[in-house]
C-alpha cells in the first residue's frame, strides 16, 4: 500500500470522486464524514484551517484509506503548544462519530498504513484528538492495535450515546410509554394542538430554509444568553446554512417546528442517513406553552415511522431525558494519540485530557 499526506486544499479536491464510495464501503459510514458535510464545513471556515489528510491507496491505485485530519492546537497550562490533528468538521457543526475511513476488505492493513504514514512525519504533529468515536464498529480496536504496534502513546476512555430503534407503527412506539407517561404525552398533544394559533410546520420548500434557520439560531442565542453562556460557536450558523442547501434536494433533511401566533416556539432539525434519523439541532422557547418540545419530538418520530425510517439517534449523551423516550445507551470512546517525541511522551505520562483544565483548545475555528 502507498500513502501520502495532503496539506493543500487543491489536492484535497481531487479526492471527491472516490470519497463517498469509500465511506459507504467502510465501518465509519456516517453523515458526519460525507463529502457534503465536510465541504459545507470547509466553505464555512473559508479554508482558515490547514488540511492534513492521510491518503492510502492499494497497489492498483484504488483508494482504500483516509484519515481526514486538519491541524489545530492544544495548549498545556496555556504555555506549551501541541500541534494537534483533529477530524475534519468535528467542530462548530454538531458532528459526532469521527473516524478513519478504511475499506472493510483491508481495514487492518489500511489502518496500519495510516499509522506508518503518521510515523514518517511525526515531526509535523504532536497529538491526535478524536472525541466521541463509535464503540460498535471495531475501529477503535484497530486504531489502538496499530498505535501499539507503531509505538504511539495513546489512551481512550468511554463515552455514551442515546439511540432507539423505530417500530413499524406509531401504536407500537406508544406502547413503550406505559401508564401516566403515555397519557401525559397524549394530553399535552391534544391541549396544544387545540389552541387556535398553534400550527405544525414542516419545511417542504427550499426557499423557506433561511427562515427556519433564523428561528433556530434566535432560540439558541436566547437560551445561551439567559444561561450566561458564550452562545453559538463561530462558523456554526454559516455551516448549517450551507449544509441544509446541499442535502435538501436529496430529500434527506427533516426540519419541523411548532409555531404559536405565527412565532416559532420549538424547532428540530435532523437528517436521514442510512435510513436512520440523526438529531442535529433543536431549540425551544423557555417561555412557550408547557409540553411543546415533547409534542414536536413526538411528531418528528411519527413522521419518521410513517416514512419507514428504522432508528432515531440522539447522538452524544444517554441521560434520563433520552431514556424517557426509549433510548438505549450505546458505548463510544474519546481517543487521544501522541507522537513519539519527548514532549508528548511527558504529556502522556499523566492522565491529562483535552477536556480538562490543564490542556485546552486554542484558536478553535
Amino acid at each position: 500500500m502507498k500513502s501520502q499526506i495532503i496539506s493543500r486544499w487543491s489536492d484535497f479536491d481531487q479526492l471527491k470522486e472516490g470519497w463517498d464510495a469509500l465511506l459507504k464501503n467502510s465501518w465509519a459510514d456516517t453523515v458526519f464524514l460525507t463529502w457534503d458535510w465536510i465541504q459545507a464545513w470547509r466553505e464555512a471556515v473559508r479554508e482558515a484551517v490547514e488540511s492534513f489528510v492521510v491518503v492510502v491507496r492499494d497497489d492498483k491505485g484504488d483508494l482504500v484509506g483516509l484519515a481526514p485530519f486538519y491541524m489545530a492546537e492544544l495548549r498545556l497550562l496555556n504555555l506549551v503548544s501541541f500541534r494537534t490533528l483533529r477530524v475534519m468538521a468535528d467542530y462548530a457543526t454538531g458532528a459526532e462519530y469521527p473516524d478513519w475511513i478504511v475499506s472493510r476488505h483491508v481495514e487492518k492493513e489500511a489502518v496500519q498504513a495510516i499509522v506508518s504514514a503518521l510515523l514518517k512525519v511525526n515531526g509535523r504533529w504532536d497529538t491526535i484528538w478524536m472525541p466521541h468515536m463509535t464503540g460498535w464498529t471495531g475501529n477503535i480496536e484497530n486504531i489502538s492495535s496499530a498505535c501499539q504496534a507503531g509505538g504511539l502513546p495513546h489512551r481512550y476512555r468511554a463515552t455514551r450515546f442515546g439511540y432507539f430503534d423505530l417500530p413499524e407503527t406509531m401504536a407500537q412506539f406508544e406502547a413503550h410509554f406505559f401508564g401516566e407517561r403515555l397519557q401525559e404525552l397524549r394530553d399535552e398533544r391534544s391541549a396544544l394542538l387545540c389552541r387556535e394559533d398553534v400550527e405544525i410546520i414542516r419545511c417542504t420548500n427550499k426557499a423557506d430554509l433561511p427562515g427556519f434557520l433564523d428561528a433556530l439560531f434566535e432560540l439558541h442565542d436566547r437560551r445561551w444568553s439567559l444561561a450566561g453562556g458564550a452562545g453559538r460557536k463561530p462558523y456554526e450558523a454559516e455551516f448549517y446554512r450551507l449544509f441544509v442547501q446541499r442535502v435538501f434536494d436529496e430529500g434527506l433533511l427533516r426540519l419541523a417546528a411548532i409555531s404559536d401566533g405565527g412565532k416559532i416556539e420549538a424547532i428540530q432539525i435532523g437528517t436521514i442517513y442510512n435510513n436512520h434519523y440523526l438529531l442535529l439541532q433543536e431549540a425551544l422557547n423557555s417561555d412557550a406553552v408547557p409540553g411543546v418540545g415533547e409534542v414536536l419530538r413526538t411528531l418528528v418520530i411519527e413522521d419518521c415511522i410513517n416514512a419507514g425510517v428504522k432508528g432515531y439517534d440522539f447522538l452524544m449523551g444517554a441521560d434520563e431525558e433520552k431514556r424517557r423516550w426509549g433510548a438505549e445507551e450505546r458505548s463510544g470512546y474519546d481517543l487521544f494519540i501522541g507522537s513519539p517525541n519527548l514532549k508528548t511522551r511527558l504529556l502522556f505520562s499523566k492522565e491529562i485530557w483535552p477536556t480538562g483544565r490543564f490542556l485546552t483548545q486554542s484558536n478553535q475555528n
Side-chain angles (χ1 to χ4, degrees):
M1 291 186 177
K2 299 179 181 179
S3 60
Q4 67 176 128
I5 307 292
I6 288 180
S7 55
R8 295 188 304 181
W9 285 111
S10 57
D11 294 332
F12 177 81
D13 290 333
Q14 305 305 312
L15 298 172
K16 178 180 180 179
E17 182 176 348
W19 188 288
D20 283 343
L22 175 62
L23 182 62
K24 285 293 183 184
N25 190 37
S26 76
W27 293 112
D29 189 17
T30 174
V31 66
F32 306 119
L33 292 172
T34 59
W35 184 262
D36 277 342
W37 186 276
I38 288 176
Q39 281 298 100
W41 168 80
R42 174 187 170 187
E43 292 174 28
V45 301
R46 299 178 180 86
E47 301 188 3
V49 295
E50 178 186 348
S51 167
F52 194 101
V53 182
V54 185
V55 180
V56 180
R57 297 185 183 275
D58 63 18
D59 295 337
K60 297 184 294 183
D62 294 333
L63 188 64
V64 294
L66 288 166
F69 295 128
Y70 70 97
M71 188 67 73
E73 182 185 25
L74 292 172
R75 295 187 69 84
L76 180 63
L77 298 175
N78 206 31
L79 295 172
V80 183
S81 175
F82 291 85
R83 295 161 297 178
T84 300
L85 301 179
R86 301 190 58 161
V87 172
M88 286 182 173
D90 71 340
Y91 179 81
T93 66
E96 306 284 7
Y97 309 146
D99 216 328
W100 300 355
I101 308 170
V102 295
S103 170
R104 298 184 187 187
H105 304 299
V106 290
E107 53 184 324
K108 292 184 179 180
E109 296 88 344
V111 167
Q112 290 168 355
I114 290 172
V115 169
S116 296
L118 290 169
L119 282 168
K120 291 178 182 178
V121 294
N122 64 74
R124 295 174 58 185
W125 63 279
D126 298 311
T127 61
I128 300 172
W129 175 228
M130 297 172 61
H132 309 163
M133 294 182 65
T134 64
W136 52 89
T137 63
N139 283 1
I140 186 74
E141 290 84 359
N142 289 332
I143 294 175
S144 177
S145 178
C147 287
Q148 183 72 28
L152 293 181
H154 65 287
R155 64 171 71 106
Y156 53 88
R157 64 183 180 186
T159 188
R160 300 180 301 166
F161 302 93
Y163 167 89
F164 59 88
D165 291 324
L166 289 174
E168 294 183 356
T169 68
M170 191 62 184
Q172 291 173 328
F173 174 77
E174 288 181 334
H176 287 283
F177 298 97
F178 301 105
E180 295 181 0
R181 172 64 176 152
L182 175 56
Q183 193 59 47
E184 176 187 335
L185 283 173
R186 288 176 173 171
D187 289 346
E188 286 177 346
R189 179 168 178 169
S190 177
L192 184 67
L193 299 185
C194 284
R195 292 170 62 95
E196 183 178 352
D197 294 330
V198 168
E199 182 181 6
I200 300 167
I201 46 178
R202 299 173 176 85
C203 187
T204 57
N205 189 325
K206 197 171 186 178
D208 294 333
L209 286 173
F212 275 85
L213 290 180
D214 286 344
L216 174 70
F217 300 144
E218 180 185 352
L219 289 174
H220 264 175
D221 290 346
R222 187 186 309 170
R223 171 195 167 198
W224 282 108
S225 177
L226 291 173
R232 195 185 326 132
K233 299 180 181 72
Y235 305 124
E236 185 175 20
E238 182 63 15
F239 165 79
Y240 273 97
R241 294 189 194 284
L242 291 165
F243 178 71
V244 297
Q245 293 287 335
R246 283 177 171 270
V247 300
F248 185 88
D249 292 336
E250 301 173 31
L252 302 178
L253 186 69
R254 293 293 184 273
L255 188 48
I258 292 179
S259 66
D260 190 355
K263 184 178 180 180
I264 288 180
E265 301 287 355
I267 187 168
Q268 186 175 128
I269 178 172
T271 186
I272 305 296
Y273 191 81
N274 288 338
N275 206 26
H276 286 70
Y277 176 88
L278 294 92
L279 173 60
L280 302 179
Q281 293 279 336
E282 59 183 344
L284 173 69
N285 180 3
S286 58
D287 297 326
V289 176
V292 65
E294 291 201 330
V295 172
L296 179 60
R297 191 184 309 284
T298 302
L299 292 169
V300 171
I301 290 171
E302 187 171 14
D303 286 348
C304 287
I305 290 174
N306 291 338
V309 176
K310 298 301 183 183
Y312 186 106
D313 196 341
F314 279 105
L315 303 179
M316 182 64 185
D319 54 31
E320 180 59 32
E321 173 60 24
K322 294 174 183 178
R323 285 192 288 270
R324 289 177 69 233
W325 287 92
E328 297 179 354
E329 181 178 312
R330 294 204 292 185
S331 63
Y333 296 95
D334 295 339
L335 176 64
F336 196 30
I337 303 172
S339 179
N341 58 49
L342 179 59
K343 179 176 70 171
T344 304
R345 286 193 178 278
L346 288 173
L347 174 67
F348 273 75
S349 68
K350 305 293 184 181
E351 190 70 16
I352 298 176
W353 291 89
T355 52
R357 60 191 178 97
F358 299 111
L359 191 61
T360 56
Q361 301 167 43
S362 175
N363 299 325
Q364 184 63 275
N365 294 294

